[in-house]
Amino acid sequence: MSHDFDPNDVAAITDHLIGGRRVAGDGAEIALVRPSDGAAIGTIRAADEALVDEAMQNAAEVRVTSGWATATPLERARVLKAWADLIDARRTELGRLEAATTTRPVADVITRDLVRAAGAVRYFAEWADKVEGALIAGANSGTTLLKPEPYGVIASIAPFNFPAINAIWKSAPALATGNAVVLKPSELTPSSAVMIAELAIEAGLPAGLFNVVQGAGATGSALVRHPLTGKITFTGSSATGARVMADAAMTGTKPLTLELGGKTPQLVMDDAHDLEALAATIAGGFLANAGQVCTAGSRLIAPRRLLGELTERIVALAEARVAGPTWDTRATLPPIISEKQAARIDRMIAETVADGATVITGGRRCSNMNAGAYVEPTVLSGVPDTSVGFREEFFGPVLSVYGYDDEDEALAMANHPRYALAASLYTTSAAKALALPARLNAGTVWVNGHGRQPDFATPQGGFAGSGFGKEMGRAGLEGFLRFKTVWLNHG
């Protein structure tokens, strides 16, 4: 079955969703452009502070008046499971909306993203009645309890690269634990979040418990600074994450979960031997979603004796990618999200080459394409550690390759001075597979693979300049809870 479709049959959603109603708003205008062909498909009226306040006040009120705050965990689980069923049932419609308005290829959205989104909702639904406190040992004259409770209203700010998945990750665990959510999707990809929230309401979630506000940085700042915000979860660049932290600190020292940038190494050990399979995994690690992935494996570090042949195989796989729109399943390289971001990638490549790097393949825009922004898969060598190509993430289909002579040198190269989101390690040695992850400064280490797996129990999150806190798994769920200590004096 082909998933191809005509994008002109899909209408973008640019409204806010407050109290179960779509609201156009009257704030500053933001033009919405279809990434695959540059077509203008709508205009967002960004939520100003007044509209953000309305969304927050509504969410806080509904959380109390609807009984969600005091509902039994099984009641919340029932609604979330019905929500997951609706995501499954409407997968084609939602998938086309996502593909038409984002960089996500339609087949990937329908068969991967939305399957995982529904699975994540079910996973957190099952957790709803398994959140536990603790009875703490103390003096016989008293009893001490540690009691989990929700924060209240969660301000969720999501990035553009996986809109549907991020909308779920930043809402389902919060709702399962008794919170309300106000979500701001990226102004570049606003549509699917509204439909996902509407499906939650159709499943039985009280209208207003999951609101969506559209807008750019000013809208996100208003959410973070709002006095009713109990906690913030943000995924995006490290620079924006720092501004979110500053806003949170100046308006109540609110807690945060931050997943920020990365320069993920793909570290190949000297015992590697199946170079064909290895090259395919490494190529997928930096080409998936045209490199627009926080954990994109953008740095290959391999033994010098293997680097040449391995790079040749990766280059062949990269050059075989076919650029094309997200609604055409023959395409294997989607567009960059915007012309602005593509120009940034162009500029970073040019500056890195000027600093001494060599382009092995790519380095240009794809030829014979429409008005969408497509960047050729690019492989660089000789990238100096003083260049922008080393210091910052391209967030595009760019791989830098490095050779090493000994294991200590390899590990030192893998540990980036700023970013520590993830790392991949390739080895056939069980001893190295068990020992070396401890020497890699990263929040997630994959051994003999790359990328987030389809399970839901595994927490994800970075260290250092890549943020803190976890999403998914038990740790991700407990991130939406605060723990209250209660001392009982027996008298």
Side-chain angles (χ1 to χ4, degrees), residues 145-195:
L145 306 173
L146 192 63
K147 184 179 183 298
E149 62 182 33
Y151 280 102
V153 183
I154 305 297
S156 295
I157 304 175
F160 72 80
N161 52 350
F162 295 90
I165 287 178
N166 277 293
I168 293 298
W169 283 13
K170 294 187 179 300
S171 62
L175 295 167
T177 48
N179 295 283
V181 174
V182 178
L183 169 70
K184 189 198 85 65
S186 168
E187 71 277 13
L188 302 174
T189 55
S191 297
S192 58
V194 174
M195 184 174 174

Side-chain angles (χ1 to χ4, degrees), residues 169-405:
W169 283 13
K170 294 187 179 300
S171 62
L175 295 167
T177 48
N179 295 283
V181 174
V182 178
L183 169 70
K184 189 198 85 65
S186 168
E187 71 277 13
L188 302 174
T189 55
S191 297
S192 58
V194 174
M195 184 174 174
I196 286 169
E198 288 178 330
L199 292 179
I201 295 169
E202 187 177 336
L205 191 75
L209 203 66
F210 183 4
N211 290 331
V212 179
V213 292
Q214 308 288 4
T219 302
S221 178
L223 264 181
V224 171
R225 291 183 288 104
H226 197 279
L228 288 177
T229 294
K231 181 178 177 175
I232 302 111
T233 171
F234 169 84
T235 299
S237 73
S238 295
T240 305
R243 291 195 293 272
V244 169
M245 287 185 69
D247 280 346
M250 290 189 294
T251 56
T253 59
K254 304 178 182 90
L256 306 99
T257 293
L258 301 178
E259 185 187 273
L260 308 177
K263 290 289 286 186
T264 297
Q266 300 202 66
L267 176 57
V268 178
M269 303 314 297
D270 194 62
D271 53 65
H273 55 80
D274 187 351
L275 296 192
E276 181 178 0
L278 189 55
T281 301
I282 292 168
F286 85 95
L287 292 174
N289 203 31
Q292 297 165 110
V293 184
C294 297
T295 55
S298 58
R299 296 187 296 136
L300 168 62
I301 301 167
R304 293 191 192 280
R305 70 175 188 85
L306 298 177
L307 185 63
E309 182 181 353
L310 188 54
T311 300
E312 286 179 8
R313 291 176 179 271
I314 292 168
V315 166
L317 292 168
E319 291 177 345
R321 293 281 175 134
V322 178
T326 51
W327 49 82
D328 183 349
T329 53
R330 295 170 296 180
T332 54
L333 182 74
I336 301 302
I337 187 64
S338 67
E339 173 57 34
K340 179 180 178 181
Q341 171 61 13
R344 175 183 174 274
I345 296 169
D346 294 342
R347 184 172 62 254
M348 286 182 64
I349 292 173
E351 291 179 8
T352 304
V353 170
D355 284 340
T358 299
V359 177
I360 298 175
T361 191
R364 301 177 300 272
R365 297 291 182 95
C366 296
S367 60
N368 302 319
M369 293 304 299
N370 54 35
Y374 296 83
V375 172
E376 290 181 343
T378 299
V379 179
L380 305 173
S381 66
V383 176
D385 60 11
T386 55
S387 70
V388 68
F390 176 81
R391 298 193 314 270
E392 301 295 339
E393 58 180 344
F394 284 96
F395 225 67
V398 182
L399 177 72
S400 302
V401 302
Y402 306 85
Y404 70 85
D405 295 313

